[in-house]
Amino acid sequence: MKYEISGTGGRTVELVLGDITRQETDAIVNAANSGLRGGAGVDGAIHRAGGPGVMKECRELGGCPTGSACITTAGRLKAKFVIHAVGPIWSGGGSNEAGLLAGAYRTSLDLAKKHGLSSISFPSISTGAYRYPLEQAAPIALETVEDHLKGDTSVSRVVFVLFNQATFDAYAAAMAELQVG
Ligand code: ADP
């Protein structure tokens, strides 16, 4: 599923069902924790596929605040960079979770722009172990990406790599809303 952002000269957002470690975009985004210590879910998969060099760079960075992102090289992965985005842990919605989730996406895109990248893949940040409700996370993710693509940026292609059908369906529904809205 693909959505062209109007007025941007053909910049696109795509939704695919799959494994982000296999993506060949310039950067792939990791759903990291603030200690950049690695973990389960997509974080574990990225470190396994990228190899120990990625973890070494994460240790050197020392950590990354919730609601932002940090960048490393990508080791054995096909991408050139891994952007480690730290989304919020859901705790009911009254702790600025929405602002922090948007911040994780926005900082990732700003890093991609800073490095002159043209393509970037995201997983569904915070909706796994961090329990952010999918139906609320999907529109925040897509709107933050759309805002970035409408501005001055090197990024022309954003891919959401969604790991299961329920996640894909939630993003597809949010994308349909954006297109009519
Ligand atoms: P968080 O702690 O931010 O919630 P998780 O890794 O637990 O991060 O989950 C985030 C999302 O990433 C979930 O939708 C999960 O199904 C998905 N995911 C897990 N492995 C992969 C992978 N290899 N590629 C893409 N998405 C993945």
Side-chain angles (χ1 to χ4, degrees):
M1 193 169 179
K2 197 164 173 174
Y3 171 39
E4 192 171 310
I5 311 292
S6 61
T8 65
R11 292 178 183 161
T12 56
V13 183
E14 285 164 62
L15 307 183
V16 302
L17 192 57
D19 178 349
I20 200 166
T21 63
R22 306 176 74 88
Q23 281 295 314
E24 298 184 19
T25 47
D26 295 332
I28 64 170
V29 175
N30 182 17
N33 52 61
S34 59
L36 301 182
R37 289 181 305 271
V42 70
D43 201 353
I46 286 174
H47 282 291
R48 272 195 303 280
V54 180
M55 182 50 77
K56 183 170 180 287
E57 284 182 58
C58 283
R59 274 196 299 271
E60 284 162 6
L61 287 168
C64 186
T66 301
S68 73
C70 298
I71 191 164
T72 66
T73 58
R76 297 193 292 254
L77 290 158
K78 286 181 180 144
K80 299 187 191 83
F81 296 96
V82 177
I83 294 174
H84 304 268
V86 186
I89 298 171
W90 179 258
S91 58
S95 305
N96 190 32
E97 288 96 327
L100 293 167
L101 185 63
Y105 282 100
R106 194 168 48 243
T107 314
S108 298
L109 292 157
D110 287 345
L111 280 170
K113 173 183 167 181
K114 190 173 161 197
H115 288 262
L117 308 185
S118 63
S119 58
I120 180 170
S121 299
F122 283 99
S124 177
I125 297 169
S126 283
T127 65
Y130 281 4
R131 301 185 315 273
Y132 204 116
L134 199 47
E135 289 68 24
Q136 293 182 51
I140 292 171
L142 290 170
E143 283 166 24
T144 306
V145 165
E146 183 177 27
D147 277 354
H148 182 89
L149 292 180
K150 283 180 168 165
D152 173 24
T153 182
S154 60
V155 181
S156 60
R157 178 172 176 240
V158 176
V159 185
F160 281 91
V161 184
L162 306 164
F163 204 53
N164 55 50
Q165 191 65 47
T167 307
F168 182 92
D169 290 348
Y171 278 72
M175 184 178 272
E177 281 287 319
L178 264 187
Q179 281 173 292
V180 296

